[in-house]
Amino acid sequence: VSLEYPFAAPLVIVFSIAMAVLLVIKLRKKLWIALPPVAFVASFALCLGIFALCDKSELKYVGSGSDEIFIVERAGACSVCDVTDGSAWNYWQLRSSLPTYVIEIEDYVLSHPHKHHAELIKKISERQPIRNIYLPLCTDADELEYLSDILTVAGECGIDVHFYERGETITLVDNTHLRSFFESGADGHSSVYMSFYKDGESFTYTDNSKRLGAYELGENSRYMLFGAH
């Protein structure tokens, strides 16, 4: 539970004033001093429940150059889809894009591994714990080496590891579904395209390789983004 929720500050202020008043005045019944803490906890729980019911899930795109990140967030629950080269800059890009009340990352989906991803994931998890990480089943020798480094970091940080095959459906927060595709190119760099599905709506992303599979995947999508990676 985080005190960074938008309703937390007013509750803390009211609680502090109430406690100060009760400590200053002379109370005949000392049990009254327990009233503000009880009221604060009950009010916080009520506000948190209303926030969870009213807050709508959001798919956020964060792009800088050829690095692209997708964030699915609702009421503090968060999933991250990484389409980057794993450079250190992406740590700050992700951190600045997450709401302050997100205290952990439920799912971290890696579209394809790069050399620096292990270091990036370790740095992220030190700030906001990652519960699950989804890694693609790669066949390229270099990518397999990068995956090995990521597995080492996941073990050190207590992250549950899941592997997914090309086109397999992954369930993210708020019952949002993701299908991620990757193809190894002749230059050794994987091409990525993915689709997000929720409540009959779909959004498709493809990197700048623009291979035929991405167009086929996007035929039934309402929105399609041609990325820079």
Side-chain angles (χ1 to χ4, degrees), residues 68 83 189-193 205-210 226-229:
E68 297 167 297
V83 191
H189 181 76
S190 295
S191 296
V192 178
Y193 40 100
Y205 160 87
T206 175
D207 64 10
N208 65 7
S209 65
K210 301 179 179 63
F226 295 96
H229 190 76

Side-chain angles (χ1 to χ4, degrees), residues 32-169:
W32 284 106
I33 201 71
L35 183 60
V38 172
F40 174 79
V41 173
S43 300
F44 191 93
L46 178 62
C47 291
L48 186 61
I50 294 174
F51 183 76
L53 287 173
C54 296
D55 192 37
K56 295 182 179 180
S57 61
E58 178 182 32
L59 174 61
K60 182 186 295 185
Y61 168 80
V62 183
S64 177
S66 62
D67 292 322
E68 297 167 297
I69 298 173
F70 295 91
I71 301 170
V72 182
E73 187 270 328
R74 181 178 185 271
C78 168
S79 295
V80 174
C81 300
D82 180 324
V83 191
T84 75
D85 62 4
S87 59
W89 160 249
N90 293 292
Y91 167 77
W92 298 106
Q93 183 170 247
L94 176 61
R95 181 176 170 181
S96 64
S97 302
L98 289 176
T100 54
Y101 51 80
V102 173
I103 58 175
E104 77 170 5
I105 296 172
E106 193 84 17
D107 312 294
Y108 195 98
V109 182
L110 191 62
S111 62
H112 60 297
H114 281 278
K115 181 178 181 180
H116 300 293
H117 265 122
E119 184 179 347
L120 174 64
I121 291 166
K122 183 176 182 179
K123 191 171 184 179
I124 292 172
S125 64
E126 289 172 349
R127 170 76 180 184
Q128 285 163 311
I130 299 173
R131 182 173 294 183
N132 302 288
I133 188 166
Y134 291 84
L135 305 173
L137 288 171
C138 303
T139 56
D140 179 79
D142 288 337
E143 291 181 337
L144 288 174
E145 182 179 346
Y146 304 152
L147 286 180
S148 177
D149 295 337
I150 294 171
L151 289 175
T152 299
V153 168
E156 294 173 352
C157 299
I159 306 172
D160 291 336
V161 178
H162 310 269
F163 286 94
Y164 68 91
E165 296 181 350
R166 183 182 185 277
E168 182 178 343
T169 299

Side-chain angles (χ1 to χ4, degrees), residues 11-24:
L11 290 179
V12 170
I13 293 172
V14 172
F15 167 74
S16 301
I17 294 173
M19 286 298 297
V21 170
L22 290 179
L23 290 172
V24 170

